[in-house]
Amino acid sequence: MSASVDTQSSQSHESVPSTTAISPEAAQAVLENLDREVARHLALTLAHDDSKFDPEYLYRALATAVRDRLVRDWRTTHARFAQSDEKKVYYLSLEFLIGRSLTNAVANLDLDEDARTALHAYGVTLEELAEQEHDAGLGNGGLGRLAACFLDSCANLQLPVVGYGLRYEYGMFHQQIENGQQMESPDHWLRNGNPWELERAEDARRVHFYGHTEHYRDEEGSPRVRWANGNDVLALPFDMPVPGYRNGTVNSLRLWKACATDEFDLEEFNAGSYPEAVAAKNLAEQITMVLYPNDSSENGKELRLKQQYFLVSASLQDVLAQWVSKNGEDFSNFGTSNCFQLNDTHPACAVPELMRLLMDEHSLSWDAAWDITTQCMAYTNHTLLPEALERWSVGLFSHLLPRLLEIIYEINSRFLAQIAEHFPNDAGIQARMSLVEEGEHPHIRMAYLAIVGSFSVNGVAGLHTELLKAGLFGDFHALWPEKFNNKTNGVTQRRWLAHCNPGLRDLLNEAIGDGWQKDLSRISELASFAEDGAFREKWRAVKQANKRRLIELVERETGVQFSESAMFDVQVKRIHEYKRQLLNVLHAIHLYDRILEGKTEGMVPRCILIGGKAAPGYHVAKLIVHLINNVSDVINNDPRANDLLKVVFLPNYRVSAMEVICPAAELSEQISTAGKEASGTGNMKFMMNGALTIGTLDGANIEIREQAGDENFFLFGLDAAEVAEARKDYRPNEIIANDADITRLMQLLEGGMFNESQPGVFSMLTAGLRNPHDPWLTIADLRSFIDAQKRVNDVYRDEDRWDTMSILNTAASGWFSSDRTIAQYADEIWNVKALG
Ligand code: 26Q
């Protein structure tokens, strides 16, 4: 590919000359039946000798045939998007946790029957073949999966929204457990190719790093700045289709790959020999090599800041080039015609980068550029943990992105002048609100940069937004109350119910029709079946079948046998202290203690499943994984416990595992320290699939309880205000000493029952529990948790009551569709309409 990319003319959406043009319809007409297409792709596209059947080849052939069918709608959607003067939205995110695409595309294009017919000849089912697909694990957890659900909903609602992200060569690491401990291995998800992407070399962009700035005057005598020297990296786009649900819309997710420019190597390395110079291409290509595997900010890594800027610069240039090809250099309507939604602060460099592009590349004045920027940037916050707010050192910034730092300083000085006027009597306010945290090593506060540069700042659940306004962003809320708004998260019911739970999908369709797949508010009609005995029977049968599917998975992955008649008690999410997997383990130990004591009357058999990845550098989280595995070993190998209790740590939790787990779960553990989980989205997936929640008043749990009714939710623990109060005088050792159950379980844990061969390995965890400054207040909530679990146990004994509650939870889950969330973003932030 050529290194010299002409950003002005390369982005042309004019159709090819009419003599050679093939319309989308004509292209589609060439396609034969799906079974013929699969055979053709096997023989011609893949040159596969089908005398020896190979599921990997068959998967690729089917995926390619399905993609061919997507292309027609993709082209028409794209043409409509390019031609329309309506406002457009760009969702900028370092993560898109897509998972698998085949079955999603098949369902959305209504190709289910055709695909089954095509596969029949090969003696394989669609479900079996779907297993061939490697998850696209381009995200850590909630934030990345939310981005994927949002794209699905935007396509369902036919909104003109494009996702922009990075095409990491290695996605989220693969987790194995060895001797109870987490081991990481790389996830080369692209090894067998990716049939879902189209490379668009003609839209490549150049991204600049290092160097210095030069201030000069142009021919008209106006002051200008250029960013000189340094080096360029090419951003090469790969587009992935985002099909809407049976509506003819196929939106795009554009993922950038970093490539070396030709001159980058030859100029920089011409002192060395040619092979060394070419080998040095690696340096540039490292930028999109790997996803950072931590889900709270890891400060200071130069490569991470490079990734962030690379995404932002390539994407903004892309949008500006499209604008210029249509409107020339007239930017007067740019700000009202475009909106950039920043998925947390990771793409917050978009604020100074848009300023730079408008001023330095398109000659706008500061004021004109600032008006546009603040008209089209919107920021979503996903965390309440102050330590997770991103900060980048000024030193690193000035080295890597010198021009951006200048612009940030200018934004800051104008902003500080504004607040001096607004808060004349508050001496500390400048230091508190400054975009630059002063000190020996000054840092840029990325959240503040995002707030100052955006017209909208939103939290992701009601409580989260209120806490942001009162706490972390209190000063900003006082200055600009109108910027702040809430958008409670949601999940797509098409993947998280219809696709992953076909048994329930069919039962719902039979009971209330299939309208809920496009409009989940319709699911409330299910409530009238909650007391219907015959319906409950069917409901139960679906759950049992899903439990059998999970039993197989657990047995395959861990060798442990779950029992179909036991309660399936599940906690799957990233491992983090605030999410309190430890609290769950303490309860498991408590149940084990009761069994050892012979106090098992009325105890319902339980299978506790825990899964999730720990950030490789997060020592305590890894220790928690180790403890869960050791507790699981002891309990599962004790014949006294076996009929009543099993505990399993399921390795390598990921999107495709959740698709088997959430339909089978009966109890959903949402037990974070109140005020710490911004929203949660797993909680919504479980609810949709009929699990009951045991949870604290945190994140979206509060809204789940409101929707389901408090009688259909197992509440425990301190609320956010009580947590703040309890911290002032917290004495976990007294709580332990004064509660016989807790004393006993701590004795088991501290007595070494779970670490016989490694004395002291868990002492850091037990010391944390006993520490009066334990930020997570685990012991404070333990009694309340044990009592709530006892209520769960007692309700579970009454099958009918449980199933009624389960039906009512599903019936109340309509609010948690990401279609609802996205409709609110569209109306209340973006002001965009469906393209239709
Ligand atoms: C930042 C800088 C450097 C390296 C990594 C990061 C980084 C990466 C990922 C920081 C944070 C994340 C992910 C955060 C996340 O997933 N937050 C979750 O977002 C969900 C969707 O809104 C919420 O439901 C969860 O409550 C929230 O924890």
Side-chain angles (χ1 to χ4, degrees), residues 137-139 168-174 186-189 289-291:
L138 309 184
Y168 301 106
E169 210 74 33
Y170 293 87
M172 189 61 199
F173 66 82
H174 185 274
D187 164 51
H188 198 190
W189 70 292
M289 196 56 73
V290 60
L291 167 78

Side-chain angles (χ1 to χ4, degrees), residues 45-59:
T45 312
L46 305 171
H48 178 62
D49 166 11
D50 67 1
S51 62
K52 39 184 193 316
F53 168 75
D54 181 336
E56 165 64 30
Y57 272 99
L58 189 56
Y59 159 73

Side-chain angles (χ1 to χ4, degrees), residues 95 143 294-295 297 304 346 382 390 489 578 677-680:
E95 306 190 9
L143 166 152
N294 41 278
D295 66 346
S297 68
R304 171 72 182 186
H346 315 157
H382 298 265
E390 276 192 291
N489 283 167
Y578 83 79
E677 187 71 271
S679 162

Side-chain angles (χ1 to χ4, degrees), residues 284-356:
E285 294 174 2
Q286 267 173 23
I287 294 178
T288 51
M289 196 56 73
V290 60
L291 167 78
Y292 271 85
N294 41 278
D295 66 346
S296 52
S297 68
E298 178 175 308
N299 282 307
K301 293 284 195 298
E302 176 169 330
L303 182 59
R304 171 72 182 186
L305 184 57
K306 274 189 176 170
Q307 292 184 335
Q308 297 185 348
Y309 179 65
F310 181 76
L311 165 67
V312 156
S313 182
S315 308
L316 290 175
Q317 288 183 54
D318 207 41
V319 173
L320 285 172
Q322 288 166 46
W323 178 267
V324 169
S325 77
K326 214 166 160 234
N327 304 280
E329 291 288 319
D330 177 2
F331 289 92
S332 44
N333 295 322
F334 186 88
T336 49
S337 305
N338 296 283
C339 182
F340 298 94
Q341 189 70 43
L342 309 181
N343 199 18
D344 215 294
T345 52
H346 315 157
C349 282
V351 171
E353 176 65 1
L354 184 56
M355 291 296 290
R356 183 188 75 81

Side-chain angles (χ1 to χ4, degrees), residues 406-600:
E406 276 184 359
I407 293 172
I408 293 171
Y409 278 154
E410 181 65 25
I411 294 172
N412 197 36
S413 86
R414 290 168 185 246
F415 170 62
L416 290 178
Q418 192 183 344
I419 56 177
E421 217 171 279
H422 198 273
F423 302 103
N425 304 317
D426 189 337
I429 197 122
Q430 301 259 334
R432 284 208 311 276
M433 295 182 82
S434 174
L435 307 191
V436 184
E437 184 182 307
E438 300 293 354
E440 198 188 337
H441 300 290
H443 283 79
I444 307 297
R445 296 162 162 159
M446 300 304 278
Y448 294 5
L449 174 63
I451 297 172
V452 172
S454 299
F455 67 90
S456 164
V457 178
N458 76 282
V460 290
L463 173 71
H464 171 226
T465 303
E466 289 311 309
L467 293 174
L468 282 182
K469 293 196 288 192
L472 228 40
F473 300 155
D475 290 328
F476 290 90
H477 180 249
L479 179 62
W480 294 312
E482 68 287 351
K483 277 194 191 187
F484 287 78
N485 65 94
N486 176 245
K487 296 289 168 282
T488 297
N489 283 167
V491 302
T492 168
Q493 70 271 26
R494 289 165 292 278
R495 181 176 294 259
W496 296 113
L497 214 177
H499 158 67
C500 72
N501 197 343
L504 195 59
R505 172 194 66 206
D506 293 345
L507 182 58
L508 290 172
N509 288 349
E510 186 188 304
I512 61 170
D514 64 1
W516 58 272
Q517 300 199 35
K518 276 197 84 64
D519 173 7
L520 196 65
S521 69
R522 307 272 285 273
I523 205 150
S524 61
E525 293 165 36
L526 188 65
S528 60
F529 293 85
E531 305 281 357
D532 175 336
F535 186 81
R536 271 196 306 235
E537 283 293 315
K538 294 183 189 169
W539 189 265
R540 192 171 307 152
V542 168
K543 185 61 82 179
Q544 288 307 119
N546 292 335
K547 286 170 73 174
R548 288 193 289 273
R549 194 159 60 134
L550 180 57
I551 288 170
E552 273 177 41
L553 175 75
V554 167
E555 152 102 85
R556 202 165 54 236
E557 299 278 324
T558 70
V560 177
Q561 277 273 338
F562 270 6
S563 155
E564 200 187 310
S565 56
M567 179 206 304
F568 280 23
D569 171 347
V570 181
Q571 185 179 26
V572 286
K573 49 182 81 243
R574 289 301 290 258
I575 310 293
H576 205 294
E577 290 162 279
Y578 83 79
K579 294 178 188 282
R580 295 199 299 196
Q581 281 90 358
L582 256 186
L583 184 59
N584 199 359
V585 176
L586 295 182
H587 174 248
I589 298 174
H590 165 72
L591 292 180
Y592 184 48
D593 173 50
R594 291 190 69 97
I595 293 168
L596 297 181
E597 291 288 296
K599 295 184 184 152
T600 58

Side-chain angles (χ1 to χ4, degrees), residues 794-822:
D794 295 346
V795 174
Y796 196 81
R797 294 174 65 189
D798 180 349
E799 264 194 348
D800 284 347
R801 178 155 174 231
W802 185 276
D803 289 334
T804 293
M805 289 167 72
S806 164
I807 294 166
L808 289 173
N809 264 270
T810 301
S813 67
W815 180 251
F816 303 103
S817 168
S818 46
D819 297 344
R820 184 272 310 156
T821 313
I822 284 298

Side-chain angles (χ1 to χ4, degrees), residues 86-97:
E86 298 290 324
K87 193 170 184 186
K88 291 156 191 165
V89 176
Y90 307 94
Y91 197 80
L92 302 188
S93 177
L94 271 283
E95 306 190 9
F96 286 91
L97 227 186

